PDB file of all heavy atoms in Angstrom:
ATOM      1  N   GLY K 224     -48.140  -6.663 -69.231  1.00 93.00           N
ATOM      2  CA  GLY K 224     -46.940  -6.460 -68.431  1.00 93.00           C
ATOM      3  C   GLY K 224     -45.772  -5.873 -69.274  1.00 93.00           C
ATOM      4  O   GLY K 224     -44.908  -5.130 -68.758  1.00 93.00           O
ATOM      5  N   ALA K 225     -45.814  -6.145 -70.607  1.00 91.00           N
ATOM      6  CA  ALA K 225     -44.719  -5.655 -71.520  1.00 91.00           C
ATOM      7  C   ALA K 225     -44.621  -4.095 -71.561  1.00 91.00           C
ATOM      8  O   ALA K 225     -43.656  -3.559 -71.928  1.00 91.00           O
ATOM      9  CB  ALA K 225     -45.012  -6.176 -72.877  1.00 91.00           C
ATOM     10  N   SER K 226     -45.760  -3.457 -71.123  1.00 89.00           N
ATOM     11  CA  SER K 226     -45.684  -1.957 -71.103  1.00 89.00           C
ATOM     12  C   SER K 226     -44.783  -1.462 -69.988  1.00 89.00           C
ATOM     13  O   SER K 226     -44.424  -0.234 -70.050  1.00 89.00           O
ATOM     14  CB  SER K 226     -47.092  -1.422 -70.912  1.00 89.00           C
ATOM     15  OG  SER K 226     -47.629  -1.811 -69.595  1.00 89.00           O
ATOM     16  N   GLY K 227     -44.354  -2.339 -69.104  1.00 89.00           N
ATOM     17  CA  GLY K 227     -43.298  -1.974 -68.120  1.00 89.00           C
ATOM     18  C   GLY K 227     -43.854  -0.977 -67.092  1.00 89.00           C
ATOM     19  O   GLY K 227     -43.005  -0.319 -66.533  1.00 89.00           O
ATOM     20  N   ARG K 228     -45.154  -0.941 -66.834  1.00 92.00           N
ATOM     21  CA  ARG K 228     -45.598   0.067 -65.830  1.00 92.00           C
ATOM     22  C   ARG K 228     -45.465  -0.406 -64.436  1.00 92.00           C
ATOM     23  O   ARG K 228     -45.605   0.396 -63.482  1.00 92.00           O
ATOM     24  CB  ARG K 228     -47.028   0.431 -66.158  1.00 92.00           C
ATOM     25  CG  ARG K 228     -47.168   1.350 -67.349  1.00 92.00           C
ATOM     26  CD  ARG K 228     -48.558   1.667 -67.812  1.00 92.00           C
ATOM     27  NE  ARG K 228     -49.155   0.468 -68.462  1.00 92.00           N
ATOM     28  CZ  ARG K 228     -50.395   0.426 -69.062  1.00 92.00           C
ATOM     29  NH1 ARG K 228     -51.103   1.467 -68.946  1.00 92.00           N
ATOM     30  NH2 ARG K 228     -50.761  -0.670 -69.640  1.00 92.00           N
ATOM     31  N   GLY K 229     -45.217  -1.742 -64.221  1.00 92.00           N
ATOM     32  CA  GLY K 229     -44.836  -2.238 -62.928  1.00 92.00           C
ATOM     33  C   GLY K 229     -46.037  -2.603 -62.030  1.00 92.00           C
ATOM     34  O   GLY K 229     -47.181  -2.185 -62.241  1.00 92.00           O
ATOM     35  N   VAL K 230     -45.678  -3.391 -60.941  1.00 94.00           N
ATOM     36  CA  VAL K 230     -46.713  -3.944 -60.097  1.00 94.00           C
ATOM     37  C   VAL K 230     -47.514  -2.833 -59.385  1.00 94.00           C
ATOM     38  O   VAL K 230     -48.730  -2.927 -59.285  1.00 94.00           O
ATOM     39  CB  VAL K 230     -46.030  -4.843 -59.024  1.00 94.00           C
ATOM     40  CG1 VAL K 230     -47.005  -5.310 -57.979  1.00 94.00           C
ATOM     41  CG2 VAL K 230     -45.387  -6.035 -59.716  1.00 94.00           C
ATOM     42  N   ASP K 231     -46.848  -1.811 -58.887  1.00 95.00           N
ATOM     43  CA  ASP K 231     -47.626  -0.728 -58.142  1.00 95.00           C
ATOM     44  C   ASP K 231     -48.651  -0.021 -59.006  1.00 95.00           C
ATOM     45  O   ASP K 231     -49.736   0.262 -58.562  1.00 95.00           O
ATOM     46  CB  ASP K 231     -46.640   0.274 -57.588  1.00 95.00           C
ATOM     47  CG  ASP K 231     -45.804  -0.232 -56.374  1.00 95.00           C
ATOM     48  OD1 ASP K 231     -46.356  -1.207 -55.816  1.00 95.00           O
ATOM     49  OD2 ASP K 231     -44.770   0.192 -56.085  1.00 95.00           O
ATOM     50  N   PHE K 232     -48.266   0.178 -60.223  1.00 96.00           N
ATOM     51  CA  PHE K 232     -49.287   0.819 -61.148  1.00 96.00           C
ATOM     52  C   PHE K 232     -50.475  -0.113 -61.299  1.00 96.00           C
ATOM     53  O   PHE K 232     -51.607   0.426 -61.178  1.00 96.00           O
ATOM     54  CB  PHE K 232     -48.596   1.123 -62.524  1.00 96.00           C
ATOM     55  CG  PHE K 232     -49.671   1.536 -63.523  1.00 96.00           C
ATOM     56  CD1 PHE K 232     -50.142   2.816 -63.670  1.00 96.00           C
ATOM     57  CD2 PHE K 232     -50.190   0.597 -64.469  1.00 96.00           C
ATOM     58  CE1 PHE K 232     -51.112   3.242 -64.477  1.00 96.00           C
ATOM     59  CE2 PHE K 232     -51.204   0.960 -65.342  1.00 96.00           C
ATOM     60  CZ  PHE K 232     -51.615   2.287 -65.401  1.00 96.00           C
ATOM     61  N   PHE K 233     -50.231  -1.343 -61.550  1.00 96.00           N
ATOM     62  CA  PHE K 233     -51.386  -2.261 -61.836  1.00 96.00           C
ATOM     63  C   PHE K 233     -52.257  -2.342 -60.555  1.00 96.00           C
ATOM     64  O   PHE K 233     -53.493  -2.460 -60.662  1.00 96.00           O
ATOM     65  CB  PHE K 233     -50.953  -3.650 -62.243  1.00 96.00           C
ATOM     66  CG  PHE K 233     -50.398  -3.617 -63.659  1.00 96.00           C
ATOM     67  CD1 PHE K 233     -49.121  -4.147 -63.939  1.00 96.00           C
ATOM     68  CD2 PHE K 233     -51.158  -3.076 -64.625  1.00 96.00           C
ATOM     69  CE1 PHE K 233     -48.634  -4.116 -65.290  1.00 96.00           C
ATOM     70  CE2 PHE K 233     -50.636  -3.033 -65.939  1.00 96.00           C
ATOM     71  CZ  PHE K 233     -49.390  -3.556 -66.251  1.00 96.00           C
ATOM     72  N   LYS K 234     -51.624  -2.384 -59.327  1.00 95.00           N
ATOM     73  CA  LYS K 234     -52.395  -2.357 -58.114  1.00 95.00           C
ATOM     74  C   LYS K 234     -53.343  -1.199 -58.017  1.00 95.00           C
ATOM     75  O   LYS K 234     -54.478  -1.314 -57.742  1.00 95.00           O
ATOM     76  CB  LYS K 234     -51.419  -2.410 -56.894  1.00 95.00           C
ATOM     77  CG  LYS K 234     -51.100  -3.719 -56.369  1.00 95.00           C
ATOM     78  CD  LYS K 234     -50.147  -3.612 -55.197  1.00 95.00           C
ATOM     79  CE  LYS K 234     -50.963  -3.398 -53.859  1.00 95.00           C
ATOM     80  NZ  LYS K 234     -50.047  -3.640 -52.692  1.00 95.00           N
TER      81      LYS K 234
END
Side-chain angles (χ1 to χ4, degrees):
S226 61
R228 284 173 287 182
V230 174
D231 284 338
F232 169 80
F233 289 127
K234 265 180 86 165

